[in-house]
Amino acid sequence: MGVISNNNLDEQLFQRLQTSRNVLVRLVRQPWLWGIVLLASAVRFYGSTVSAIWCDEGSSLMLSNYTLSGIWFHAAHDVHPPLYFMLLHGWIALFGDSLASIRALSVLPGIASVFLGMWLVRLIATQRAALLAGILLALLPTAVRYSQEVRMYSLLGMWLIAATIALVYWVKSPQKNRYLVIYTLLMTAAFYTHYFTAFCVIAHWLYLLLLSTRNSVAGALIKRPAWWISNAAIVVLFAPWLPGLADLLQHMDELKAGGDVGWESPVDARALPSMIWQVLMQSEGTKIPGPLFWLAPSVLFAGAVWVAVRDNTPYKFHALIVIYTLLPILLIYAISFASPMFIERYVTFAALGLPLIVAIAVDRLLKHRRALAISVFALFLGVECVGLRGNLTGDVDRFDQLVAHVNQQFLPGDRIIVSDLFWYFSYVYYNKTNVQPMLYTPPTPEGLSGRPTAYGFGTLVNADGAKIYVDHLADLPAAQGRIWLVSSSVQPDDFAPIPAGWDKTQDLTINDTQVRLYLTCGADNCGRDPKGSLFDGSVHP
């Protein structure tokens, strides 16, 4: 069936098409769908191995190295549920831990989300709207970015879009409880992936509450026992994790002290439009002229509200997509005035709805205001392309080159000390020396211990703390020693003061990190390799 463009399409026929069980079958038979899936795959796989592993990704890899029971324990002390790390554990066992492999575990859910987004729009709107939604979702910069990180955000988006599809099917056919069973399993998987699934739950309940104001069969859905049983089942299935979550909440002060939570910047009035620019352009909009900075996000929000208000269909599915998208963003923004958490990756699952809303709006406008519809689509697509270009051509973190330099120059007996957990996890991933790097943990200015606590990132290193923590560089034995110091290149020096008698022989800076090689004894004693030749101090990035 071709793209639906007949302005005189009979509404009753359209409704029959939408409620047909063959929507998915007809959709997957469209050549354009697979072209869009190919486009989504290309932009997500392209460049997915260029940037080095960063701190959060490194922590994912370190956590996934534990057994499943170990992942359960350490994730309970971390700030995220365990499902993604368990999946990563199994993925690495099957496909290895190469950069291409581990990032593919995020790329694939990202591609699946594009397919699911088209399926969802096809269920609630025309085939043309599904086509437009697929194009815009395939190129959404924030979706592309977090499809290339070894983190759970791409997976979360896939679960929640799929759960929303299951909800749509159930609303259309409430007598078929199998859709609620699927919904329950998907939402449970989402909760075990990220706690912010709760915002999607609120959105779904608000949508059903909206339906309850209508005098129709759909208005009674929120009262159906099956819906309540489904949500109760989600709680029961998530219950095994609740003790760990409660324990984590009791130790929130330790998480804040370690910088695992509470590091986010406070929000202000500009934070909301800035987030929209970040999602669409991968830029906070600081260089955008003031009127445009405020106008474009305002028009986008107003357009979304227009889509919801003008939805006169019995099930108000367009309003569902608007609620799914805007409610989590607005709630997280509002909560951030008390406890900052308004970070792009935290709202990416909701931002996946923006292309769907624009596609539905453009599809409507094409019937009566064709020029305006084409302009809206072209502008949104153009902004996305600017953001996507920034993703593909922006600054690339080459921390891997710094570690490769140490791997190349490393001699038996060398010691490696990393100044901060932010670099430590990444270093461990690239380390090929078979020597465990140490972590610099100087006391705070108040004289308190600088070592990580047992919560947050600290849970991943505390077990080996006796071996890896270095509170004072001067405590290290000086004789027969070469020490590599890895730190930020931004002043002040993380390791200052360097002990007297240490002789720096190398200093390599890449991006915002540096590695320095110090001899803690005379070159005649510790500057020779195992074959007896004097190390020449040359640098080979």
Side-chain angles (χ1 to χ4, degrees):
M1 183 174 65
V3 174
I4 297 176
S5 58
N6 186 354
N7 293 341
N8 298 318
L9 180 66
D10 181 77
E11 181 65 19
Q12 185 177 2
L13 173 61
F14 178 72
Q15 289 298 327
R16 287 203 302 267
L17 288 172
Q18 297 308 95
T19 56
S20 171
R21 290 182 294 179
N22 296 323
V23 167
L24 179 60
V25 174
R26 291 196 302 273
L27 183 64
V28 298
R29 289 176 178 173
Q30 304 305 314
W32 55 261
L33 178 137
W34 299 109
I36 292 172
V37 170
L38 183 61
L39 173 64
S41 303
V43 297
R44 282 159 177 76
F45 275 112
Y46 180 80
S48 63
T49 61
V50 173
S51 185
I53 291 291
W54 73 290
C55 172
D56 283 12
E57 293 181 294
S59 70
S60 295
L61 292 165
M62 187 170 288
L63 183 49
S64 70
N65 283 333
Y66 289 98
T67 63
L68 294 183
S69 60
I71 291 174
W72 184 275
F73 172 82
H74 289 288
H77 287 69
D78 193 15
V79 293
H80 296 295
L83 180 58
Y84 172 77
F85 308 112
M86 290 180 170
L87 293 176
L88 183 59
H89 174 90
W91 184 269
I92 291 174
L94 290 173
F95 303 108
D97 65 350
S98 69
L99 199 55
S101 169
I102 57 180
R103 285 196 169 143
L105 185 58
S106 294
V107 170
L108 294 177
I111 298 169
S113 294
V114 175
F115 173 84
L116 292 169
M118 289 187 284
W119 184 5
L120 177 57
V121 173
R122 185 63 189 90
L123 282 169
I124 66 176
T126 68
Q127 190 160 271
R128 179 175 60 195
L131 168 63
L132 299 176
I135 295 171
L136 297 180
L137 187 53
L139 300 177
L140 182 66
T142 191
V144 174
R145 175 179 178 179
Y146 291 106
S147 293
Q148 297 180 335
E149 280 203 359
V150 189
R151 296 295 278 173
M152 69 291 296
Y153 306 108
S154 176
L155 183 66
L156 176 67
M158 183 188 75
W159 293 140
L160 295 181
I161 292 291
T164 304
I165 290 174
L167 178 63
V168 168
Y169 271 103
W170 177 70
V171 169
K172 287 184 175 184
S173 304
Q175 73 281 3
K176 296 178 180 178
N177 290 329
R178 65 175 179 269
Y179 296 132
L180 278 183
V181 173
I182 296 172
Y183 177 84
T184 299
L185 295 176
L186 289 168
M187 292 300 287
T188 301
F191 266 113
Y192 274 105
T193 301
H194 201 283
Y195 297 123
F196 278 18
T197 298
F199 293 107
C200 182
V201 171
I202 296 172
H204 288 168
W205 274 84
L206 182 60
Y207 162 69
L208 291 180
L209 186 63
L210 174 65
L211 285 186
S212 70
T213 64
R214 303 173 66 86
N215 294 322
S216 65
V217 175
L221 288 176
I222 198 170
K223 300 177 182 178
R224 279 187 170 251
W227 172 248
W228 288 80
I229 292 172
S230 171
N231 283 265
I234 294 171
V235 175
V236 170
L237 290 172
F238 193 61
W241 187 250
L242 294 179
L245 175 59
D247 182 60
L248 185 69
L249 294 175
Q250 291 177 1
H251 293 84
M252 192 60 63
D253 289 341
E254 294 179 48
L255 290 169
K256 291 180 179 179
D260 295 279
V261 298
W263 53 268
E264 301 91 342
S265 301
V267 297
D268 54 20
R270 292 178 60 89
L272 187 56
S274 180
M275 178 61 73
I276 302 303
W277 288 114
Q278 184 75 24
V279 164
L280 297 179
M281 288 187 61
Q282 298 298 279
S283 165
E284 295 180 354
T286 54
K287 297 182 179 180
I288 296 175
L292 181 59
F293 172 83
W294 291 95
L295 180 62
S298 299
V299 170
L300 187 60
F301 270 78
V305 173
W306 174 79
V307 167
V309 171
R310 292 295 298 272
D311 183 5
N312 295 319
T313 58
Y315 299 120
K316 303 286 287 184
F317 285 135
H318 298 176
L320 167 63
I321 304 304
V322 173
I323 294 170
Y324 169 89
T325 303
L326 297 190
L327 183 70
I329 294 175
L330 293 175
L331 280 179
I332 296 171
Y333 172 64
I335 293 171
S336 293
F337 281 95
S339 178
M341 59 176 68
F342 201 47
I343 306 298
E344 180 193 1
R345 55 184 178 271
Y346 296 165
V347 302
T348 292
F349 75 90
L352 296 178
L354 287 175
L356 312 188
I357 295 170
V358 171
I360 292 170
V362 169
D363 183 58
R364 282 191 194 175
L365 290 171
L366 279 170
K367 296 179 180 180
H368 307 293
R369 292 180 171 84
R370 191 174 185 85
L372 177 60
I374 294 173
S375 298
V376 169
F377 182 80
L379 282 172
F380 194 88
L381 183 62
V383 170
E384 283 191 329
C385 289
V386 172
L388 192 61
R389 182 178 180 273
N391 269 350
L392 299 176
T393 63
D395 293 336
V396 176
D397 184 2
R398 299 309 318 182
F399 185 72
D400 55 324
Q401 293 183 352
L402 183 144
V403 185
H405 170 72
V406 178
N407 291 336
Q408 180 186 19
Q409 303 277 357
F410 188 86
L411 296 178
D414 286 4
R415 287 163 287 180
I416 304 167
I417 306 176
V418 183
S419 68
D420 192 275
L421 276 174
F422 187 86
W423 311 110
Y424 187 82
F425 297 123
S426 305
Y427 197 99
V428 169
Y429 173 72
Y430 290 109
N431 178 39
K432 306 299 181 184
T433 65
N434 294 321
V435 171
Q436 187 174 33
M438 292 182 283
L439 178 65
Y440 187 49
T441 53
T444 67
E446 295 78 18
L448 303 176
S449 172
R451 296 185 175 189
T453 69
Y455 289 84
F457 284 159
T459 187
L460 303 177
V461 293
N462 257 350
D464 293 326
K467 299 177 182 177
I468 68 173
Y469 292 156
V470 177
D471 295 340
H472 303 91
L473 294 180
D475 293 340
L476 295 170
Q480 303 293 321
R482 297 188 346 149
I483 297 179
W484 299 88
L485 299 184
V486 180
S487 66
S488 168
S489 60
V490 179
Q491 295 299 319
D493 183 0
D494 295 341
F495 287 107
I498 301 297
W502 285 29
D503 181 20
K504 183 170 70 172
T505 63
Q506 284 194 39
D507 191 339
L508 173 64
T509 298
I510 297 179
N511 297 125
D512 56 351
T513 53
Q514 65 177 340
V515 60
R516 291 165 285 173
L517 176 63
Y518 284 89
L519 307 184
T520 62
C521 57
D524 290 341
N525 293 325
C526 62
R528 298 181 182 276
D529 67 17
K531 297 181 180 179
S533 59
L534 186 65
F535 176 68
D536 62 10
S538 60
V539 173
H540 305 285

